[in-house]
């Protein structure tokens, strides 16, 4: 699988571990930053990764912030992105099987490295089941209402 990865400062320390783990498993992973743990705003990194995934058909993304919450919310604003916030292997697996998730998110402050490995394995080793789930996934885009909510 081909992955783009980005974090904010609160997910930065976990990034090399994830890159090493996926590389050892034979996956391609492209680091979109940041290059230091200086404070950054998670929506900026979410957009960078989401735009890369949309531009590169068939690719996936990984986004990490402190909780995974902000960065997943931001990524899901991008048309075509299905970002799943997963802190266990079961939801990571289901995010692929039922939701065809194209970005995996988690929080560095929430999970340890062992759990991260199990999440990554579950996400990588599970395929979208299609069928009835495909119709539901197609409807997700119908939920988009364009324009800013004031
Ligand atoms: C940064 O302090 C933190 O708010 C951010 O990484 C993330 O957890 C937000 O959802």
């Amino acid at each position: 699988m081909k992955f783009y990865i980005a974090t904010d400062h609160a997910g930065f320390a976990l990034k090399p571990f994830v890159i090493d783990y996926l590389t050892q498993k034979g996956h391609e992973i492209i680091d979109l930053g940041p290059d230091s743990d200086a404070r950054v705003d998670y929506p900026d990194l979410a957009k960078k990764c989401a735009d890369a995934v949309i531009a590169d058909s068939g690719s996936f993304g990984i986004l990490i912030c402190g909780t995974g919450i902000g960065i997943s919310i931001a990524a899901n604003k991008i048309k075509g992105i299905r970002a799943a916030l997963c802190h266990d292997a079961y939801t990571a697996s289901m995010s692929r099987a039922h939701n065809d998730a194209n970005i995996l998110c988690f929080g560095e402050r929430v999970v340890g490295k062992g759990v991260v490995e199990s999440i990554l394995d579950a996400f990588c080793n599970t395929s979208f089941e299609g069928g009835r789930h495909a119709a539901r996934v197609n409807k997700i885009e119908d939920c988009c209402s364009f324009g800013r909510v004031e």
Side-chain angles (χ1 to χ4, degrees):
M1 294 166 77
K2 181 177 182 180
F3 287 95
Y4 293 92
I5 188 168
T7 75
D8 74 354
H9 52 283
F12 178 76
L14 196 50
K15 183 155 59 89
F17 176 80
V18 172
I19 291 172
D20 286 351
Y21 188 76
L22 289 175
T23 302
Q24 282 172 22
K25 295 276 178 180
H27 301 288
E28 180 184 2
I29 182 152
I30 296 159
D31 186 353
L32 297 177
D35 299 326
S36 80
D37 63 358
R39 287 189 183 281
V40 286
D41 296 331
Y42 57 79
D44 297 335
L45 283 303
K47 185 172 189 319
K48 194 171 183 182
C49 182
D51 286 346
V53 169
I54 292 301
D56 189 356
S57 179
S59 70
F60 294 87
I62 295 178
L63 288 169
I64 313 167
C65 66
T67 60
I69 296 170
I71 211 158
S72 59
I73 291 172
N76 276 314
K77 299 293 183 187
I78 307 294
K79 188 172 173 56
I81 289 299
R82 292 175 299 280
L85 175 56
C86 302
H87 287 129
D88 58 74
Y90 176 72
T91 49
S93 172
M94 293 302 285
S95 79
R96 289 289 308 123
H98 285 195
N99 311 115
D100 200 16
N102 51 13
I103 295 186
L104 172 64
C105 307
F106 43 84
E108 180 184 303
R109 295 170 180 165
V110 182
V111 281
K113 289 179 177 174
V115 174
V116 168
E117 288 179 354
S118 68
I119 289 169
L120 293 172
D121 287 343
F123 191 85
C124 292
N125 296 332
T126 309
S127 298
F128 181 47
E129 290 178 6
R132 69 185 189 280
H133 303 295
R136 293 165 183 161
V137 167
N138 286 336
K139 281 191 174 184
I140 290 174
E141 290 300 326
D142 297 337
C143 295
C144 288
S145 56
F146 294 97
R148 175 174 288 270
V149 177
E150 301 295 348

